[in-house]
Amino acid sequence: MQTQLKELKNLTDELTGIKLIWVNSCEEIYKKWETPTDLMQKIINKFDGIIADLTATSGDKTIANGLQQMALEHYINTFNPWTVYARNYKANTQVPQFILNNHDAGIIGKHNINYGGKKREIKTTNLLPTPFVGNLKTARFVMLLKNPGLDYPQDSKRINQHPWTQTILDNLQMPTTYNNGFVFLRTDYPQIVCNPQDKGQIWWNRNITNVKNGLNQVSVACGPVHTWVADIELVPYASEIFGGPNDNDNIALITGLSSWFFTRCLIRYVMGRGIPIYTRSGMVDFIPELHQYKTGGAHPYSGRLFTNKNPQCASVSAGNVKQVNGNENPSDSFEKLKSYIKPV
């Protein structure tokens, strides 16, 4: 085991020794960043091998987790494709692009052949992608969702609003250093989207109100709710509905996007911090990382993955939260989830 840990450390040292490799466009990312991405994948594979090893002690897993976290934080902050996207967007405001690159455009185009004009059509015109929102280094609760929802006609009014655009672009460049909180729950959200009837804040308040109300003393210690919530979207592009995650078309869409590896790194980073993740039912099955995080998983923080009891309801509440592979009833699972949300 010491040999495996030493190999993991060597890989981590090699990756963290690589400084930013400048790229001019998102089309160049995956060629010029091939070396650090390959190293990050080797680190992930080595970490997975260590925690799956029956001879690994809890101490071994803790050391391995710390090394992977070091590598993930460097990779996320140094080789973030959305930083390049945001920088180029700001430089080309006369002809803005609303999709990461041509690869993603092709994947979405194939998806929309079947769903064009329907609610499952992926919208990439005048809508900024939102692969994550909030600060993943300070968040104490993370929602892992399929993709950003869209409610016409109200949500369409945030399109091209400068405060909204600036907020999202700033956040895209700082997944672990953004200090302005989770925009959907900020008190100034109506001014940012220039529409008090925008459904984004309404959706979030409705679905996590039980978390806010149930935390009591802990929520006070954590501070305002917008400072301790974050979310990650498997698909960063919006649609009115998405459908089940086990749908073959949806799996092809999610795993085919060029940002999919980076998204997996974000998920691992949150797991490495021991933060409770709440995700929709069915999504665990095709995300390898999450199998380690459910109850009985091998991850040092296993047992901190929660989902919804009612497939039609996303509410994080005592009657709807269940621990993945856990035996508690929803009320006990909700109490356990709350116990993991602690002050930073």
Side-chain angles (χ1 to χ4, degrees), residues 89 126 128 155-167 191-195:
Y89 185 101
N126 295 333
L128 285 170
D155 286 358
S156 62
K157 295 179 181 179
R158 80 173 78 129
I159 295 172
N160 294 328
Q161 297 294 342
H162 178 73
W164 167 257
T165 300
Q166 191 63 44
T167 297
Q191 289 73 50
I192 292 173
V193 297
C194 304
N195 175 23

Side-chain angles (χ1 to χ4, degrees), residues 149-158 198-200 239-240:
L150 187 64
D151 194 306
Y152 284 115
Q154 293 296 340
D155 286 358
S156 62
K157 295 179 181 179
R158 80 173 78 129
D198 184 281
K199 299 299 177 66
S239 63
E240 291 187 64

Side-chain angles (χ1 to χ4, degrees), residues 102-120:
N102 291 334
H103 176 87
D104 278 15
I107 294 292
I108 292 169
K110 289 179 182 179
H111 177 86
N112 284 345
I113 289 174
N114 295 327
Y115 300 109
K118 301 177 182 178
K119 289 188 175 182
R120 281 180 65 175

Side-chain angles (χ1 to χ4, degrees), residues 296-331:
H299 194 279
Y301 293 117
S302 64
R304 303 194 181 192
L305 180 64
F306 301 84
T307 188
N308 50 318
K309 179 181 179 182
N310 181 352
Q312 306 304 317
C313 177
S315 175
V316 187
S317 60
N320 196 43
V321 167
K322 65 176 182 179
Q323 193 175 27
V324 178
N325 276 24
N327 297 318
E328 295 89 355
N329 63 43
S331 178

